[in-house]
Structures are given as structure tokens and as C-alpha cells.
Amino acid sequence: MKCKQLVLVALMAFTSLSFAQSKSEFVVEDIRVEGLQRVALGAALTYLPVQVGDELNAFRVSQLIRSLYSSTHFEKVEILRDGGVLIVRVAERPTISNIVFEGNDDIKDEQLTDSLEGSNIRIGEPLDRTVLTSIENGLKDFFYSIGKYNADVSAIVTPLPRNRVDLKLLFEEGDAAKIKQINIVGNEIFNDEELFNIMELKFDTPWWDFTSETRYQQQTLAGDLENLTSYYKDRGYLRFAVTSTQVSMTPEKDGIYIGMNVNEGEQYTVSEVELVGDLLGFENFLSQVLPLRTGELYNQATVTYTEEFISKYLGRFGYAYPTVTTIPDINDEDKTVKLALSVDPGKRIYVRRINFEGNVITSDEVLRQNVSQLEGTWLSDPLLESSKASLSRLTYMETVEFETTRVPGEDDKVDVDFKVKEQASGSFQAGIGYGDNTKLSLQAGIQQDNFLGTGKRIALNLNTVSYQQSAQLSYTDPYFTIDGISLGGSLGYSKFDGGDFGVVQYDSTRYQIGANIGYPINEVNRISFGLTYANVELSSDNTSFEQTSRFYDQFRSIDDPDSAIKYESFLASASWTRSTLNRGLFPTDGSSQRASISVTTPNSDVNYFKLIADTKFYFPLSRNQRWSLLARLRLGYGNGYGDKNGTEQILPFTENFTAGGADTLRGFEDNTVGPRGVQRFTSVIGQTPSGTPIFGGPDQDNIIVSSRSLGGNAMAIGGLELIVPTPFIETEFDSSVRTSFFFDIGNVWDTEFDYDLYKDLEFTARTGEGQPLALGDYSDWTQFRSSAGLSVQWISPMGPLVFSFSKEINSRDGDNPKFFTFNIGSTF
């Protein structure tokens, strides 16, 4: 810009001198503009502060030149006179045809493009050559700040036909200067090693420590100086100061030596804490809960936290911009400090308007239903944070941020602007799929958690896989009323083949219809109630398992014992859910709990109940929450109640809990963990002379243990999962890709199984299954299985994909471990 100004001054001075020497004052009879190519004549004339009939002098000429250059269209301007004709001869700035970056590693192309656009350097715009030098110097300064002192940046302009140019920024970054040594002078209380441990900059690190930052960065050094100051002041050294800092470079510019001189001072104790200013009547409460305490060592972190605590507390009541200042009164004689907390609450702030930005699909009305901060009421920080959390927990929201903007001319009003980023909330499926468990599958359906941007959930699915054919329609309106009462319903049909599902062989056909209603207790708690009618038909009991026969016997016809059985049920349910998760998908912080009870009504053909409890806790391990720990636990129990035809009711085996697979115990085949089916056969111990078999007593029976699981009426499954950044994936994709290391543990058992009835009987192998399986005590809840491994989850355009690599740690006889599994369309 300085160069440009010098050119303008020189031109205007030269022009003024020329006009002065030639008695330049004259009346303009005509104006002629020469050299125009891209700029229209009419547009060029608008930049001329001169019209025909005006009297032109040296001062008016300087104004004319300044106006033409300020238009940014011209890089050269000449003013000539031909009698009464004013001649303006211009050379237009060339148009940028293309911008290329070469050799840049530390700066991304997107960052460079944004930086250039900030200087109005973009494709299709005229090129201001005077700006290029400042851009080159600015980029060099950036490289110097990260320790690359040999870096060079060159802007190369290549002319093209029709007054166009190509712009190339050529980078020669070089290697960053390494820190050779860091010296701290003046420290006696804490040794060098202690202080080096709190610094981010390192030197002389072992070859295997790849995470240490050994290249010099100016911003990192400034941060380390703040860390040193905080370290001392948090331990009572109120007078601590870094008196000077020296940074020197080797002649080759490849090494840095850093020196710091510190004055530690002595420790100070807090003698008194006083609240002053307008505390709005909260003096007593604040004085009782303040973290600062007399008699304790001075702690700068506690002082800062106390200021923030008071500010946030006042923010609960609409005082959004309080000023809280700690005034220390230091007594160097007895090494004490009196702290006066001066509070100015400012005016109570009210919300004028709540705005939403970024919601392309979701309507504002849906978002407002999840915002607890209301327009016209005072601004509340807790309500804003709660609103952000509620919006973030929506499965169709990827990110949610908010900011407050003061209303111009109003010192007590603000607008709240929520900026949201939506993500895919459903999927349309039509075609052929394949899974390692489902094998070949045909599917067609649509599922949408944010139907037409209304926030309503609707799903229609038609599936046919190896073990099941199903059709289901469901609908839920989470805001059926303005109070947040939800209403939903479902229709379903399924035909199930247990043999292909991985459990014991049975076939079932089910029709069902249901409805549910939910009530919000508060922002994080909700209760729901539902009622479902089901009509079930089960194939005949061809397997005669001990566990299933007990259920079949309740319905078996004496006249036709091999016929299928049918029963109807009305299942009433109640559930409680609580969620403080920070996101609906791939959360990294907070917890969720769900407890439900479902019981069939007494007029149902089967009478049973089921209890299920789920809990998940996410503990962030880093500030950016890319590292997080998940702890989860799921418990379940079910059983029958009452009796039928004199037989005590039990839980239908079709309602048994199962385990194994992506959603429960990774490292084991789907649904294969748990009690096995047991068949009992009467032994033949001989025959009569006529050939009639002679059967032994019950103590001489044989049993066969199936290789397939039957499931059980009790379940306990838990695990730990370390969520880590996905390699080679940028931070912005954390909401769609997740990598974790897991440890799963759990068991499914049958509380009704009597091991003593079978333990002394002889085992027989099923035909074609080799060695007979050993009978286990399937009522023993301690027979846990466990596994560990790596899981990668991806919300792809075709739906959620889960890849798991796992190794079983503890297994039981008959379990089917599995190293690799993948699932398409699993829920998260």
C-alpha cells in the first residue's frame, strides 16, 4: 500500500506541476477515455469527478487520479489535454485467471484461499500487484513464527492473452529450527525438571518420543511462559515474574537456544476475602459458597474460578455481562494478601429475538421446541446451555453453537443466534445387501428422524434376510403437544426362522400393532407408556428341548400334539429415560439411562413380564474430547406370572435375551452366547424275547446338548470403550467416523434351569456334530464371556457401518468366537 501511495503522490505532483507550468486551468469541452478493455465506458465515467463544462485545474486533476485508482480497476492512469478535450488514458489491471499454490505443507490450500480473498485476491477479480508484497511478507512472518527461518514465499505472475494473468504462490518452507537447549535461571524452589514437565516446548528428547514438540514456535513459547507463571501463582508465589526471555539462533538458522530469567518471590497467604459492589441481595449466599478461603495459600486458579463462578451465578438471573474484578492488597511484611472481589452486575439483559442459522431442512419451529430460553424473558446462561444440549442431542444435528448479539441502541437487550449444522437423519434403501450374519438380503424402506423438517420420526421397512421376512411401519411425533408430549404408533409383521438366526430351531409368525405416549419430566428426564397387541403362531415343537417343551405344553392340543400353537397378548409397558449426552450420534460426554418394565395384561394368553435397564457414561479424556472413555452396562430379567391350566407360567422362549454380535458381545457369533437347548431321551437297556425294547429308568436317560443357544431370562452385559481419534481423518469428520478400542463382558443365563436334574446323565452327540457338548449350569450367572478388540463405525451414505476386529478372552464350551464382523444399518 505504501508503494501505491508513493506512485499516486508522484503522479499527482507531476500532473499538478505540468498543469501549473502550462497554465492548466481550462474549461472541459469534451472527455475522452482511452485504453478500456473490460471496464465499460459508462462505468469509467462514474469514477471521474469532472463533467463537460467544469473548469479543470491541478487540484481537480489530483482528485480525478485518486478517484480512478480507488476504483481498483486500473494500474496506470495518465491525464492529457488536447485543447479543450480532457484525455484520460488508462491501463486496466489484469484479471486473475487462475491461482496455484506449490510447495505448501504447513498451510492448507483452503487457508491460503481464505487469506487471499480477505485481500480481494480471487479468480475473476482484477489483480492489485501492490498487495502481493504484503502477502509474501505476511506468509514469511507466519513461517518464522513456527521456527522455519529459511522459508521463502514468492508470488509469480504470468501474463496471458486478453489482459489475464496466472498467479502462483511458490513456497520453499525448509526445515523448522529445533530447540537445542532451554535454560531457566533464578529458580530455586522448583528444579528444572519439574518446570520442564509443565512446558510444551521440549529439547533433547529420546528418539522414540514422537509426541514432544521440539521445533520452536513463538506462540507455544508464550503459552509456556503463562504456564510457568500459573504454576507458581497457583502455589502461593504471588510476586512471581518472568523478568526476561532470550531467544538466539545458530548461524545456520536450524537451532534455537531459549533462556528465561525468573524471580520466584515468596509464598503469600490469603488473610481476608471481601465482597464489594452491588451483589443484588446475594451477599450471604455468595460468601458461604465462594471457593476462596482465608488462611489458605494464594491460588491464582482459584481466584479466576471464583470470578467466573460469580459471573455465571449472576448470569442465571439475567445479568449476562457482569464485571467481577479481584483487587489484591498485598502485605509484604507478613506475606499475606487481602482479596477484594468488586462486583458490578450491570443491567439485567432481556432476549429480544432468538434466531436460527444453518437449518436448511429443519424448520425453526422444531428447533424452538427444544430451546428452553424464551424470547421476552431475561437472558439465562444455564437456559442457553441447556438449549444447546437439547438441540445437540437431536440425531439430525451435527453441531450446535450460539452467541449473543447486543441490539443496537438498546443496552439491555440481546438477540440469541443459534448456528446449527444438520446431518443425515434417515436413509432410503432399495436393493441387495450382504452381511456376514444376514447373508443375502433384499430390502426396501425409508427411515427419517426428521420427516420433511418437522422433527417427526417415520419409518417404513420391508426386509427379507436369511432368517426373517418383515414389514413394519412406525410413526412418532415427539412434540404432539406444545408441552413436549410425544405420541406414536406402529404396525408390524414378521416371519422368523430361529435356525438361521443362530438360536435353536423354531419358526414363528407375528402380527402386532401398538401405540405409545411420552411425557417430559424435565429437560433430561422422560417417561413413556405403551400398549402393544400381538398375535403369534409358533411351529410345532420338533426339537423337544427341555426348556421349550415346558412352554409348548401349556398350549399343546391332546388331539393334535404336533400342531402349531397360537396365542395372543396385550403387552403394557412403562419406561423412564434420562440423557445428558452432548450429541445424539457419537457422543463424547455425558450419560444416558433407560429403565423399562413390560408386562402382559391378565387377559392375555401368556402372562409374563420383562425388566430392562441400560446405562452409558462418557468421560472425556482431552479438552477437544477426541479422546473419551465409554462405560456401559445393560441388565435384563423376565419371567412368567400366574398359572395356565394348572401349570406355572414362564417367560416365552421367543422373548428370551440373547447375546453375541455387534450390539452386545463382540468377538462372538450373533446370538450364540447363553444357555444351550437340552434334549432328554429314555435309554434302551435291552429287549424282550419278542423284540420289544426295554427302557431304563429316568436315571439311565441320555441327554443331547445343542450347539445352538436358546437364550435365557436373565442378562448382564457391560464393557469399556476407549474412543480415539481416527487415523488420517480430520477433526470435522469426528461426527461421522468413530474408532475405539473395546473390552466387552457379559452373560445370559436361565434362572429356571435345574442343573441337578441332568448333571449325572450320559451325554450323546447329535448326528454330524462330532464330540458331544458338555452340559453347563445354565442358571449360573458367573459364567461370563469377555472379548477385546478394535471397532470402526462410519455413518455412510448407505447407512451406519460397523467393522469390528475382536479376540475372545474368556469363552465357554460351545461358544463360537469370531475375529471379524461387519454390520450394515445397525443402530447406534
Side-chain angles (χ1 to χ4, degrees):
M1 291 301 295
K2 290 183 179 180
C3 179
K4 177 179 178 180
Q5 293 170 355
L6 290 173
V7 172
L8 280 173
V9 170
L11 282 173
M12 288 187 289
F14 173 76
T15 305
S16 300
L17 181 62
S18 299
F19 269 70
Q21 292 175 344
S22 60
K23 298 180 181 180
S24 59
E25 296 185 5
F26 72 99
V27 176
V28 178
E29 299 176 357
D30 191 16
I31 299 175
R32 190 165 71 240
V33 182
E34 299 177 353
L36 295 177
Q37 296 182 14
R38 179 175 51 85
V39 180
L41 176 60
L45 291 176
T46 60
Y47 301 119
L48 296 177
V50 177
Q51 297 180 357
V52 174
D54 291 348
E55 184 176 294
L56 192 66
N57 54 33
F59 175 72
R60 297 290 298 276
V61 168
S62 65
Q63 285 185 315
L64 186 152
I65 294 174
R66 185 182 295 109
S67 177
L68 287 173
Y69 273 114
S70 66
S71 71
T72 71
H73 292 297
F74 310 108
E75 64 177 6
K76 183 178 180 182
V77 178
E78 289 184 273
I79 306 299
L80 305 173
R81 172 186 173 186
D82 184 5
V85 179
L86 174 65
I87 302 174
V88 181
R89 187 172 296 161
V90 299
E92 294 183 359
R93 288 179 178 173
T95 303
I96 301 174
S97 176
N98 193 26
I99 300 177
V100 178
F101 309 113
E102 185 177 313
N104 54 306
D105 292 327
D106 277 324
I107 310 180
K108 296 180 180 179
D109 288 359
E110 294 80 5
Q111 293 175 298
L112 290 170
T113 300
D114 292 342
S115 177
L116 292 178
E117 288 184 350
S119 301
N120 205 33
I121 303 292
R122 59 173 65 90
I123 296 175
E125 295 292 331
L127 174 64
D128 185 356
R129 299 176 190 268
T130 61
V131 179
L132 293 181
T133 300
S134 62
I135 292 175
E136 290 174 341
N137 293 333
L139 290 172
K140 289 179 184 177
D141 290 341
F142 166 78
F143 286 114
Y144 296 164
S145 70
I146 61 174
K148 292 192 172 185
Y149 295 99
N150 291 313
D152 188 32
V153 182
S154 303
I156 302 173
V157 179
T158 305
L160 299 174
R162 302 193 304 277
N163 199 29
R164 297 176 300 126
V165 294
D166 273 348
L167 175 62
K168 176 189 288 188
L169 286 178
L170 183 61
F171 296 83
E172 295 181 8
E173 295 185 353
D175 295 326
K178 300 293 184 180
I179 300 174
K180 299 294 185 180
Q181 191 171 353
I182 300 176
N183 295 314
I184 302 177
V185 180
N187 57 307
E188 296 179 356
I189 300 168
F190 301 107
N191 59 42
D192 288 354
E193 184 177 355
E194 289 179 274
L195 300 181
F196 288 154
N197 285 336
I198 66 173
M199 296 175 60
E200 187 173 346
L201 292 177
K202 306 291 182 182
F203 72 98
D204 193 25
T205 58
W207 65 269
W208 45 264
D209 189 356
F210 299 103
T211 60
S212 296
E213 183 59 79
T214 59
R215 73 175 184 176
Y216 172 73
Q217 297 192 49
Q218 186 176 0
Q219 292 180 342
T220 306
L221 176 60
D224 283 341
L225 296 177
E226 292 182 5
N227 290 340
L228 282 176
T229 303
S230 298
Y231 188 77
Y232 273 89
K233 289 190 174 182
D234 290 349
R235 288 157 178 80
Y237 296 93
L238 181 58
R239 295 291 194 184
F240 173 84
V242 179
T243 56
S244 64
T245 306
Q246 304 85 35
V247 179
S248 58
M249 189 187 312
T250 61
E252 296 79 13
K253 297 182 179 181
D254 60 352
I256 297 290
Y257 292 88
I258 300 174
M260 305 175 189
N261 296 293
V262 301
N263 181 11
E264 293 179 317
E266 297 187 37
Q267 286 182 313
Y268 285 75
T269 302
V270 178
S271 60
E272 185 179 350
V273 179
E274 182 182 11
L275 288 169
V276 297
D278 185 5
L279 298 183
L280 305 172
F282 300 122
E283 296 91 338
N284 292 335
F285 173 78
L286 290 175
S287 61
Q288 293 176 9
V289 299
L290 284 183
L292 287 173
R293 294 286 184 271
T294 59
E296 296 181 353
L297 287 175
Y298 175 84
N299 188 308
Q300 181 65 49
T302 305
V303 171
T304 303
Y305 174 75
T306 301
E307 294 174 346
E308 294 175 350
F309 173 80
I310 296 175
S311 297
K312 289 183 178 180
Y313 183 77
L314 296 178
R316 297 169 60 94
F317 304 98
Y319 298 92
Y321 303 105
T323 302
V324 183
T325 306
T326 302
I327 304 171
D329 183 7
I330 303 174
N331 188 331
D332 290 320
E333 293 183 2
D334 59 5
K335 300 299 181 292
T336 61
V337 57
K338 175 183 176 181
L339 301 177
L341 293 164
S342 176
V343 180
D344 179 9
K347 285 192 173 184
R348 176 173 278 180
I349 306 299
Y350 292 84
V351 177
R352 183 187 71 165
R353 184 179 298 117
I354 296 177
N355 305 310
F356 298 95
E357 179 184 338
N359 51 314
V360 178
I361 299 174
T362 310
S363 66
D364 283 7
E365 180 183 0
V366 173
L367 299 181
R368 289 183 189 278
Q369 291 169 340
N370 291 274
V371 173
S372 49
Q373 173 72 67
L374 301 179
E375 295 176 343
T377 62
W378 68 58
L379 183 68
S380 171
D381 287 340
L383 290 180
L384 286 178
E385 292 295 338
S386 173
S387 301
K388 176 184 175 181
S390 296
L391 289 170
S392 299
R393 283 192 287 268
L394 297 175
T395 57
Y396 41 89
M397 287 295 149
E398 183 173 335
T399 59
V400 178
E401 299 295 338
F402 70 85
E403 61 181 11
T404 56
T405 306
R406 286 186 177 269
V407 177
E410 302 281 353
D411 60 355
D412 64 344
K413 289 184 176 64
V414 296
D415 288 340
V416 179
D417 301 314
F418 282 93
K419 296 182 180 180
V420 303
K421 182 180 179 182
E422 297 172 312
Q423 66 183 2
S425 58
S427 61
F428 175 78
Q429 298 177 343
I432 300 175
Y434 186 86
D436 61 353
N437 179 63
T438 60
K439 308 305 180 185
L440 182 65
S441 64
L442 303 176
Q443 50 194 309
I446 184 172
Q447 180 175 328
Q448 178 60 259
D449 289 344
N450 186 21
F451 183 64
L452 299 179
T454 63
K456 298 179 175 63
R457 295 189 290 271
I458 186 171
L460 172 62
N461 286 290
L462 304 172
N463 289 287
T464 173
V465 295
S466 60
Y467 57 81
Q468 186 176 35
Q469 294 79 46
S470 66
Q472 185 168 6
L473 173 66
S474 63
Y475 171 84
T476 302
D477 184 352
Y479 283 91
F480 180 68
T481 70
I482 194 173
D483 298 325
I485 295 177
S486 64
L487 185 66
S490 63
L491 290 169
Y493 160 81
S494 68
K495 189 174 180 62
F496 181 81
D497 184 339
D500 287 337
F501 187 62
V503 297
V504 295
Q505 178 66 52
Y506 71 90
D507 297 332
S508 71
T509 303
R510 173 187 291 264
Y511 300 89
Q512 69 180 42
I513 181 172
N516 60 79
I517 188 170
Y519 299 87
I521 301 175
N522 53 35
E523 296 168 355
V524 298
N525 291 277
R526 189 177 190 86
I527 57 174
S528 300
F529 303 94
L531 181 64
T532 301
Y533 165 78
N535 184 299
V536 180
E537 178 179 341
L538 285 177
S539 61
S540 61
D541 184 15
N542 296 322
T543 55
S544 298
F545 288 115
E546 293 287 291
Q547 301 99 315
T548 61
S549 292
R550 184 179 173 189
F551 177 76
Y552 275 101
D553 288 344
Q554 300 175 91
F555 302 92
R556 201 185 307 270
S557 170
I558 298 177
D559 299 329
D560 187 6
D562 294 329
S563 63
I565 65 171
K566 298 180 181 180
Y567 59 87
E568 295 180 338
S569 65
F570 294 88
L571 186 68
S573 62
S575 65
W576 162 75
T577 57
R578 176 184 179 273
S579 177
T580 61
L581 299 176
N582 61 339
R583 285 202 296 263
L585 286 175
F586 290 162
T588 56
D589 192 9
S591 67
S592 67
Q593 290 78 37
R594 186 178 190 276
S596 66
I597 178 173
S598 54
V599 57
T600 57
T601 59
N603 62 323
S604 301
D605 294 333
V606 290
N607 298 133
Y608 66 90
F609 65 90
K610 292 180 75 172
L611 302 169
I612 299 176
D614 273 292
T615 184
K616 292 181 180 180
F617 289 91
Y618 289 86
F619 304 96
L621 303 178
S622 61
R623 289 185 178 181
N624 60 9
Q625 297 188 1
R626 299 195 75 191
W627 293 77
S628 187
L629 180 67
L630 163 62
R632 62 183 179 90
L633 177 65
R634 188 181 193 201
L635 303 174
Y637 175 75
N639 216 326
Y641 72 90
D643 61 82
K644 185 177 180 64
N645 299 326
T647 303
E648 183 181 356
Q649 295 249 29
I650 62 172
L651 182 70
F653 66 90
T654 57
E655 300 293 334
N656 277 352
F657 299 108
T658 60
D663 296 328
T664 52
L665 281 172
R666 288 160 287 193
F668 296 88
E669 183 76 37
D670 288 6
N671 311 299
T672 60
V673 171
R676 310 290 167 184
V678 178
Q679 290 178 291
R680 183 167 181 165
F681 296 91
T682 301
S683 301
V684 178
I685 61 174
Q687 63 181 7
T688 64
S690 60
T692 304
I694 301 174
F695 296 96
D699 58 338
Q700 295 177 312
D701 284 354
N702 292 332
I703 62 169
I704 295 178
V705 178
S706 173
S707 60
R708 292 182 179 273
S709 172
L710 185 66
N713 70 327
M715 169 190 62
I717 294 175
L720 294 174
E721 202 154 344
L722 177 63
I723 300 167
V724 301
T726 303
F728 315 112
I729 297 295
E730 300 295 335
T731 307
E732 56 265 28
F733 296 106
D734 284 350
S735 58
S736 58
V737 181
R738 166 163 288 184
T739 301
S740 61
F741 295 94
F742 63 84
F743 170 75
D744 291 346
I745 183 171
N747 188 29
V748 173
W749 66 99
D750 184 356
T751 62
E752 299 295 309
F753 185 78
D754 189 351
Y755 177 66
D756 293 334
L757 293 177
Y758 312 102
K759 64 179 182 179
D760 296 325
L761 301 181
E762 184 177 348
F763 300 104
T764 302
R766 187 182 297 275
T767 304
E769 292 193 0
Q771 288 294 112
L773 290 179
L775 176 71
D777 185 357
Y778 303 133
S779 64
D780 184 2
W781 65 274
T782 64
Q783 296 187 4
F784 287 97
R785 281 78 160 174
S786 60
S787 64
L790 169 69
S791 176
V792 179
Q793 305 175 52
W794 175 34
I795 303 178
S796 71
M798 69 180 68
L801 275 73
V802 182
F803 302 87
S804 297
F805 303 86
S806 47
K807 171 66 176 176
E808 86 282 0
I809 299 175
N810 188 24
S811 60
R812 303 292 175 179
D813 190 26
D815 288 344
N816 187 6
K818 198 158 196 178
F819 173 72
F820 171 74
T821 59
F822 78 90
N823 292 81
I824 299 177
S826 297
T827 57
F828 291 84

